Amino acid sequence: MKVVILAGGYGTRLAEETKIRPKPLVKIGGKPIIWHIIKIYSHYGIKEFIICLGYKGNLLKKELNKLNKKKIWDIKYVHTGKKTMTGGRIKRIKDFVNNDKNFCLSYGDGLSDVNINKLIKFHKINNKIVTLTAVRYKNSKGVLSINKKSFIKLIKEKPLEYINGGFFVLSNKIFKYLKNDKTIFERECLPKLAKINQLLAYKHKGFWGCMDTFREKKELNKLWKSKEKVWKVWND
């Protein structure tokens, strides 16, 4: 099984850091967040990675090569363009997974203690095109349910909702649904698959965290400094 990591975006919501480095190189506990992601997968015996490069990709490649001096991981770098959308980046790595019935996919800014082996097993048993990890997220704002006549029927105050946690398993059939560089995986591809019952959710109730903002970066660093290290599934 191979892992494709989307690591080419600009990371504009974390501009304090991404002016000088790509978002996956922003450090958590002294190591780039992409290192943590790779460690999660390698804990489950997955050692082949395809990194989709874009913005400041040369810096990412240089840093990962330093961290992989002992060649523990087989890392292939694919320059997928600076302005390419997520679906387009996946499309561009097709030749690297042609011989694989399934492959994993992750964003370069999310961490979790999800059991990757159980996720893959769930995907294979159900035999759908995409399985995404659904995680519980506490919405910080209230949600309104409004009918056609503009009457508010329900107010949910800070509800717990399932959202896309960014740890996927994909069938190689996915490439039929990726048109070009402008294809947005989340807004165009996934809704189409949902309509034809080819999108499944693997519910994960454990830890999940992303690094979209400076505040979230601080929170992840705080967790890493604590005794918990909640996403650290590896032993070394």
Side-chain angles (χ1 to χ4, degrees), residues 49-51 53 60-61 64-65 75-79 96:
F49 297 89
I50 300 163
I51 313 297
L53 300 177
L60 183 53
K61 182 177 179 180
L64 274 183
N65 282 341
I75 302 177
K76 292 181 174 62
Y77 302 96
V78 184
H79 292 275
F96 293 88

Side-chain angles (χ1 to χ4, degrees), residues 103-206:
F103 61 94
C104 294
L105 173 75
S106 274
Y107 300 120
D109 62 357
L111 299 170
S112 179
D113 61 353
V114 60
N115 187 308
I116 300 298
N117 286 344
K118 289 183 178 180
L119 170 62
I120 292 170
K121 184 178 180 180
F122 179 85
H123 174 79
K124 289 181 176 179
I125 288 172
N126 289 283
N127 196 32
K128 299 299 180 183
I129 295 176
V130 173
T131 300
L132 67 77
T133 299
V135 297
R136 299 298 291 275
Y137 174 76
K138 188 172 183 178
N139 194 319
S140 60
K141 297 178 174 61
V143 176
L144 303 179
S145 176
I146 305 172
N147 68 13
K148 291 181 180 179
K149 294 183 179 180
S150 298
F151 286 104
I152 294 174
K153 306 303 291 183
L154 183 67
I155 300 175
K156 293 182 180 180
E157 187 63 28
K158 298 183 179 180
L160 273 173
E161 303 168 308
Y162 274 108
I163 64 169
N164 171 13
F167 287 78
F168 301 87
V169 186
L170 279 60
S171 159
N172 59 18
K173 294 177 183 177
I174 190 65
F175 297 104
K176 297 177 184 177
Y177 300 87
L178 304 172
K179 292 181 179 180
N180 51 45
D181 282 359
K182 295 182 180 180
T183 303
I184 301 173
F185 181 59
E186 303 80 5
R187 295 181 191 173
E188 299 170 54
C189 184
L190 294 185
K192 287 179 182 178
L193 293 173
K195 286 181 180 179
I196 60 172
N197 296 320
Q198 288 295 320
L199 176 62
L200 277 182
Y202 176 79
K203 292 182 180 180
H204 175 59
K205 296 180 181 179

Side-chain angles (χ1 to χ4, degrees), residues 10 15 20 27 31 38 55 88 108 111 113 152 155 158 187 200 207-208 214 226:
Y10 285 93
I20 57 174
K27 293 184 177 182
K31 291 286 178 65
I38 289 172
Y55 173 68
L111 299 170
D113 61 353
I152 294 174
I155 300 175
K158 298 183 179 180
R187 295 181 191 173
L200 277 182
F207 173 79
W208 173 82
F214 186 70
S226 72

